[in-house]
Amino acid sequence: MLRMRVPALLVLLFCFRGRAGPSPHFLQQPEDLVVLLGEEARLPCALGAYWGLVQWTKSGLALGGQRDLPGWSRYWISGNAANGQHDLHIRPVELEDEASYECQATQAGLRSRPAQLHVLVPPEAPQVLGGPSVSLVAGVPANLTCRSRGDARPTPELLWFRDGVLLDGATFHQTLLKEGTPGSVESTLTLTPFSHDDGATFVCRARSQALPTGRDTAITLSLQYPPEVTLSASPHTVQEGEKVIFLCQATAQPPVTGYRWAKGGSPVLGARGPRLEVVADASFLTEPVSCEVSNAVGSANRSTALDVLFGPILQAKPEPVSVDVGEDASFSCAWRGNPLPRVTWTRRGGAQVLGSGATLRLPSVGPEDAGDYVCRAEAGLSGLRGGAAEARLTVNAPPVVTALHSAPAFLRGPARLQCLVFASPAPDAVVWSWDEGFLEAGSQGRFLVETFPAPESRGGLGPGLISVLHISGTQESDFSRSFNCSARNRLGEGGAQASLGRRDLLPTVRIVAGVAAATTTLLMVITGVALCCWRHSKASASFSEQKNLMRIPGSSDGSSSRGPEEEETGSREDRGPIVHTDHSDLVLEEEGTLETKDPTNGYYKVRGVSPPASPDSRVTSFQWKSPGISNLP
């Protein structure tokens, strides 16, 4: 059983590893390289998803896997190995280094394409026979011979110049050594000098791929010569708006007869003599100033361009781009400035730098990439202003539909559902659908659809639309079903679901009624308490008056010199007897008066305790009774 599981586990492990990440691959491979003898050669190699052994081979010979490549003193490997960078360096390059090189990921079985290293040997300065001063007779044909040794690789070409001008008509000759390798080369220039060639300079230049600028050897003719000119500018490096003075100096035989100034090939009007003063601007960087000096023999011309410092100037602004989703998009812009401005790309409103240089490439764009992109140029020198230009990326994609919030509705009342649609190209239609039907525009039964432009657009996603579904006389089923808002264009369809919330009237009524009942009850309680306090104070005052009427003090004038408390707390001898026999009618009359004058209309009852039969008995207490209220003082 275990043997049967092992292959299955291996297969699962292989699948898991396949899903865990990408397989090892080359991010950068070496390419053919041409390098000069004695300089440094660098062959790049970068690997992705690989952290194993990496080695280089030279014409099939392994150099080793260590970074310092022991045994190869002029060879080493550089770069961050953890990031997969394994560049091969050779310094100084010798002729024996010319070979084919490969970068190999041993454990992954990967080999880069072979890169051929070519070692060039620049030519030495050529030799002009009879130089450096060649004596020629004016009007007599003569040959000027220039020779270069054959150890340069590749074989150089020999060119003749006079006063910086390339001369035609030279004859080229090459000799070969016995081994078949190139030997020396010669170039012969035939000319007929004239009197104005006195002092003229001829240059033989040995030039090859190893030294494109070449090496020169000059000779001078002992004849009459045209002017030799030097042109200087002070200052040579200036900012825009500053003054510059050009000075043109010349030696000639015979003497100089005139000066001619030009800028960018166009004559400078009014300029005469060896001195020219100008105000520098950006054009002086690309349009050099030239000075032409003449004498009776001929003329000579020299030119120079100023190093004018100026801020970025937009030469080509980025153009809007519209692509389908999944396609690549690119923007380009061109700026000029001195120093060269630093060009970066960002999205409008963002600070993240997306790229640098004149071109921004966006692979496999999606809807989230839509928007405005800014090409920004920063001046390379402080004090100079920068610049910016922007263009919009429109990503054509299926519509993006979002259901907007809708207010709850009452049963049998009106309702409204909304959705927001962004699409480029514009959608063919926006459709609302539900269980038993759909509607694009207009009305159908209880349903009505309106569509109008959105007040705001989302950059790069195309124009926005708002579609509204109106429902009149909502039903129970409207609150349980889902409504779908969908839109379609040539790239696909998008949609969103919306549901209708319900608002009930009954809970609101109950809450209002409960609050009203609680408020009424509270007011009744407050009113009752206040009324009780008020009536209690009135009854107490009436009771005090009754006591004064019922008590007859012993004095003949019927008054008492002590207060009510003193009368109740005093001794029997100090109080006057209450006579019921002679004054019973008064007491009854007073009692009737109390009952008649009751301010509570009978709500509170005052009942005296029945008096004893004896004439000496007294009224000792009263009882106050109130329905529902007890323990009153």
Side-chain angles (χ1 to χ4, degrees), residues 123-211:
E124 296 181 357
Q127 177 186 8
V128 179
L129 301 182
S133 178
V134 178
S135 179
L136 296 179
V137 177
V140 176
N143 292 331
L144 298 179
T145 302
C146 180
R147 180 179 298 167
S148 175
R149 294 187 300 175
D151 52 357
R153 299 176 62 181
T155 301
E157 61 175 339
L158 300 177
L159 304 174
W160 284 96
F161 295 85
R162 176 180 174 177
D163 298 329
V165 179
L166 178 63
L167 301 177
D168 297 328
T171 303
F172 182 79
H173 175 72
Q174 180 179 4
T175 60
L176 298 177
L177 301 177
K178 295 181 179 180
E179 294 79 5
T181 59
S184 61
V185 292
E186 291 182 355
S187 177
T188 302
L189 176 66
T190 301
L191 76 162
T192 301
F194 295 94
S195 57
H196 61 269
D197 294 328
D198 183 39
T201 300
F202 288 79
V203 174
C204 177
R205 176 175 298 170
R207 186 178 67 180
S208 70
Q209 183 182 359
L211 188 63

Side-chain angles (χ1 to χ4, degrees), residues 508-631:
T508 304
V509 174
R510 288 178 177 175
I511 293 173
V512 174
V515 172
T519 304
T520 303
T521 303
L522 181 60
L523 291 175
M524 291 178 64
V525 171
I526 294 173
T527 303
V529 172
L531 187 59
C532 289
C533 294
W534 178 73
R535 289 182 176 176
H536 172 53
S537 62
K538 295 291 287 185
S540 298
S542 177
F543 175 65
S544 299
E545 182 181 357
Q546 182 180 5
K547 287 198 296 180
N548 293 332
L549 293 175
M550 292 175 63
R551 290 173 182 163
I552 302 175
S555 60
S556 60
D557 58 2
S559 63
S560 175
S561 62
R562 287 180 291 186
E565 293 181 358
E566 292 177 348
E567 291 177 358
E568 289 182 4
T569 59
S571 63
R572 182 179 298 269
E573 291 78 12
D574 296 334
R575 296 183 180 180
I578 302 176
V579 181
H580 293 276
T581 56
D582 297 334
H583 302 282
S584 60
D585 55 345
L586 178 60
V587 174
L588 293 175
E589 184 179 1
E590 292 297 330
E591 289 179 354
T593 302
L594 287 174
E595 292 179 0
T596 303
K597 295 181 179 181
D598 183 5
T600 63
N601 296 324
Y603 189 82
Y604 295 98
K605 295 294 183 179
V606 180
R607 185 177 63 187
V609 178
S610 299
S614 171
D616 298 331
S617 62
R618 300 174 181 270
V619 177
T620 59
S621 66
F622 288 89
Q623 288 185 341
W624 298 75
K625 290 187 178 181
S626 173
I629 301 178
S630 60
N631 297 329

Side-chain angles (χ1 to χ4, degrees), residues 260-601:
R260 179 175 175 269
W261 292 92
K263 175 177 174 287
S266 299
V268 179
L269 301 179
R272 297 181 178 85
R275 189 174 182 272
L276 175 66
E277 182 175 330
V278 298
V279 176
D281 57 32
S283 63
F284 282 87
L285 184 66
T286 55
E287 299 178 5
V289 173
S290 61
C291 173
E292 183 180 81
V293 184
S294 304
N295 67 356
V297 176
S299 63
N301 190 305
R302 290 291 182 270
S303 63
T304 184
L306 292 179
D307 186 16
V308 182
L309 305 179
F310 59 94
I313 299 175
L314 182 63
Q315 289 185 302
K317 66 178 183 178
E319 298 294 335
V321 176
S322 177
V323 297
D324 291 348
V325 64
E327 295 182 348
D328 297 342
S330 64
F331 293 96
S332 296
C333 69
W335 297 84
R336 60 185 293 257
N338 188 33
L340 288 175
R342 178 176 178 264
V343 180
T344 57
W345 293 86
T346 60
R347 291 189 69 166
R348 186 170 68 176
Q352 181 182 1
V353 176
L354 305 177
S356 59
T359 302
L360 173 65
R361 291 182 174 85
L362 302 173
S364 302
V365 298
E368 67 278 2
D369 298 315
D372 296 321
Y373 289 79
V374 181
C375 176
R376 193 179 309 278
E378 299 177 3
L381 188 67
S382 61
L384 300 178
R385 293 182 299 177
E390 64 180 46
R392 171 162 295 185
L393 172 61
T394 302
V395 179
N396 301 321
V400 178
V401 183
T402 305
L404 301 179
H405 174 72
S406 299
F410 294 107
L411 181 64
R412 300 182 189 86
R416 184 175 68 175
L417 297 173
Q418 301 180 89
C419 69
L420 179 62
V421 180
F422 286 103
S424 177
D428 301 328
V430 180
V431 180
W432 285 90
S433 60
W434 54 95
D435 296 340
E436 69 274 9
F438 65 91
L439 186 60
E440 174 181 342
S443 61
Q444 176 182 317
R446 299 182 297 112
F447 302 96
L448 171 66
V449 171
E450 292 181 324
T451 302
F452 50 88
E456 296 182 1
S457 63
R458 192 175 301 172
L461 290 180
L465 297 175
I466 294 180
S467 183
V468 183
L469 174 64
H470 298 274
I471 306 175
S472 61
T474 58
Q475 301 177 359
E476 288 286 350
S477 59
D478 295 333
F479 300 101
S480 59
R481 64 172 51 143
S482 294
F483 294 86
N484 185 59
C485 176
S486 60
R488 174 184 292 275
N489 60 13
R490 64 177 177 83
L491 296 174
E493 182 177 359
Q497 287 189 344
S499 58
L500 184 61
R502 182 169 180 171
R503 178 186 297 176
D504 292 329
L505 179 62
L506 185 57
T508 304
V509 174
R510 288 178 177 175
I511 293 173
V512 174
V515 172
T519 304
T520 303
T521 303
L522 181 60
L523 291 175
M524 291 178 64
V525 171
I526 294 173
T527 303
V529 172
L531 187 59
C532 289
C533 294
W534 178 73
R535 289 182 176 176
H536 172 53
S537 62
K538 295 291 287 185
S540 298
S542 177
F543 175 65
S544 299
E545 182 181 357
Q546 182 180 5
K547 287 198 296 180
N548 293 332
L549 293 175
M550 292 175 63
R551 290 173 182 163
I552 302 175
S555 60
S556 60
D557 58 2
S559 63
S560 175
S561 62
R562 287 180 291 186
E565 293 181 358
E566 292 177 348
E567 291 177 358
E568 289 182 4
T569 59
S571 63
R572 182 179 298 269
E573 291 78 12
D574 296 334
R575 296 183 180 180
I578 302 176
V579 181
H580 293 276
T581 56
D582 297 334
H583 302 282
S584 60
D585 55 345
L586 178 60
V587 174
L588 293 175
E589 184 179 1
E590 292 297 330
E591 289 179 354
T593 302
L594 287 174
E595 292 179 0
T596 303
K597 295 181 179 181
D598 183 5
T600 63
N601 296 324

